[in-house]
Amino acid sequence: MNEKYELLAAQMEAALEKEWPGVSNLSNAAAVLYQGMDRINWAGFYLLKDGVLWLGPFQGKPACVRIEAGKGVCGTAVSEDRTQLVADVHRFFGHIACDAASRSEIVVPLRKGETIIGVLDIDSPELERFSAEDQEGLEYLAKLIENVL
């Protein structure tokens, strides 16, 4: 993991506590990501309930409130049970445009045990903003977040 993500991991660990409510931890995690990552326009969470992803804590412009599993980038991350790294959201079939300025996106499933409980979603106004290195770093940060939920 590169230095950027090592710093974000240290900040994330300092901002999260297992004894705190999940919404508080997710709020702090969204803030750490939004303030700590460059060239992004949205960072936050969707929480899975009865096959629907519901908007959770986030930083950025107002967002879509409800996304069905299997729909859009977030719903696809749930249905395929894997991170979605999308270089150009306009080329992703079924993309849901919450913010027309977003051009690329990465979505990492969050789990409790083996069960997906939501997703970490980060958008950028730049094409091809996210790399395999970002995926590795964000998947590591997602594990830190999972440990306090």
Side-chain angles (χ1 to χ4, degrees):
M1 192 165 55
N2 71 22
E3 284 182 35
K4 173 176 72 174
Y5 282 102
E6 288 176 6
L7 177 59
L8 280 172
Q11 292 171 339
M12 192 71 72
E13 288 174 331
L16 307 177
E17 288 290 336
K18 187 150 185 74
E19 294 76 31
W20 296 344
V23 69
S24 300
N25 281 316
L26 291 175
S27 295
N28 273 342
V32 167
L33 291 165
Y34 192 74
Q35 298 300 317
M37 294 185 72
D38 60 345
R39 304 179 345 264
I40 66 169
N41 59 338
W42 201 90
F45 300 92
Y46 282 90
L47 303 174
L48 188 63
K49 182 177 180 181
D50 300 325
V52 175
L53 288 164
W54 292 96
L55 181 63
F58 71 93
Q59 298 275 310
K61 290 183 179 180
C64 303
V65 172
R66 181 183 194 278
I67 300 172
E68 291 182 38
K71 305 287 184 181
V73 180
C74 290
T76 300
V78 170
S79 65
E80 294 184 2
D81 191 15
R82 67 180 178 88
T83 298
Q84 301 294 305
L85 183 97
V86 181
D88 182 352
V89 296
H90 298 295
R91 293 179 176 264
F92 187 92
F93 179 76
H95 173 253
I96 300 167
C98 297
D99 180 351
S102 293
R103 299 298 307 272
S104 60
E105 184 171 7
I106 186 166
V107 178
V108 180
L110 296 173
R111 295 174 181 82
K112 191 161 204 91
E114 296 298 313
T115 304
I116 294 178
I117 59 170
V119 297
L120 162 61
D121 181 18
I122 303 177
D123 296 354
S124 173
E126 292 182 15
L127 286 172
E128 300 178 7
R129 160 60 182 88
F130 304 105
S131 65
E133 191 173 82
D134 291 303
Q135 181 173 340
E136 177 188 0
L138 291 168
E139 287 174 346
Y140 179 80
L141 295 177
K143 297 282 185 221
L144 296 178
I145 295 163
E146 290 169 348
N147 288 336
V148 299
L149 295 179

